[in-house]
Amino acid sequence: MLVSRHVTKVRDQMATLVELIELSHKAKEKAYSPYSNFRVGCALITKDGKIFTGCNVENVSFGLSICAERTTLVKAVSEGYQQFDKMVIASDLKNQVISPCGACRQFMVEFGDYDVYLTKPDKTYEKMSSYELLPKTVIPTHFLNEEKINV
């Protein structure tokens, strides 16, 4: 029955989202943030259904720190995955959702347009796409397919 399959698929997608939200908050607990005390966790699901998690890892040389979003993406890519369905980001911000830094936004769009859920500790969220997070983004296909002038 088509309607039944659709309802089941929607229910499964919601269950996956709830699971990803939980996993992102759990990943936040592993953050190494002795300098800022700002913990961030991330959960990512591939188009194939494989889930990866990550957290921020700070360094006394701040430029060497890595955000949770990039940690998670690097883990997925290093395992052979490059197509993503959803990313969920968690922090300890009580009154507003977490939002990725500019470097993470550019890193995220390198792998296409997918849903990104920005959460608060109470598990409420705002949904955006990776492309919405970085308007007028630099996408690899822009350079590969764009006509260039001859110099």
Side-chain angles (χ1 to χ4, degrees):
M1 179 177 260
L2 185 58
V3 172
S4 177
R5 270 190 243 144
H6 176 71
V7 169
T8 300
K9 185 176 180 180
V10 170
R11 191 176 309 125
D12 289 347
Q13 289 173 348
M14 287 306 296
T16 301
L17 178 57
V18 169
E19 177 184 14
L20 289 172
I21 291 170
E22 290 295 329
L23 287 170
S24 70
H25 284 274
K26 187 173 268 191
K28 171 181 70 174
E29 296 170 8
K30 297 178 182 173
Y32 178 74
S33 56
Y35 309 107
S36 70
N37 291 315
F38 189 75
R39 305 180 312 161
V40 181
C42 184
L44 175 72
I45 188 166
T46 68
K47 293 280 187 186
D48 297 343
K50 175 88 170 148
I51 296 174
F52 292 89
T53 61
C55 63
N56 58 317
V57 179
E58 293 181 350
N59 189 284
V60 70
S61 175
F62 292 122
L64 298 178
S65 298
I66 185 167
C67 300
E69 300 90 331
R70 284 182 281 152
T71 298
T72 307
L73 285 164
V74 167
K75 285 172 69 175
V77 172
S78 70
E79 294 293 326
Y81 296 90
Q82 296 180 10
Q83 296 182 347
F84 307 114
D85 187 47
K86 294 180 189 64
M87 175 183 276
V88 178
I89 309 165
S91 78
D92 293 321
L93 293 174
K94 183 178 179 181
N95 297 314
Q96 66 183 44
V97 296
I98 181 67
S99 185
C101 73
C104 284
R105 292 173 191 220
Q106 183 62 55
F107 206 88
M108 291 161 65
V109 299
E110 178 75 16
F111 301 100
D113 193 24
Y114 46 91
D115 293 336
V116 180
Y117 296 83
L118 313 170
T119 73
K120 296 194 308 191
D122 66 3
K123 313 292 175 38
T124 58
Y125 61 85
E126 289 180 23
K127 176 185 171 186
M128 298 183 77
S129 75
S130 55
Y131 286 2
E132 287 174 321
L133 283 166
L134 191 61
K136 301 267 186 192
T137 188
V138 178
I139 302 170
T141 55
H142 287 172
F143 293 111
L144 299 175
N145 301 328
E146 183 65 27
E147 185 178 351
K148 296 166 187 72
I149 63 168
N150 293 321
V151 185

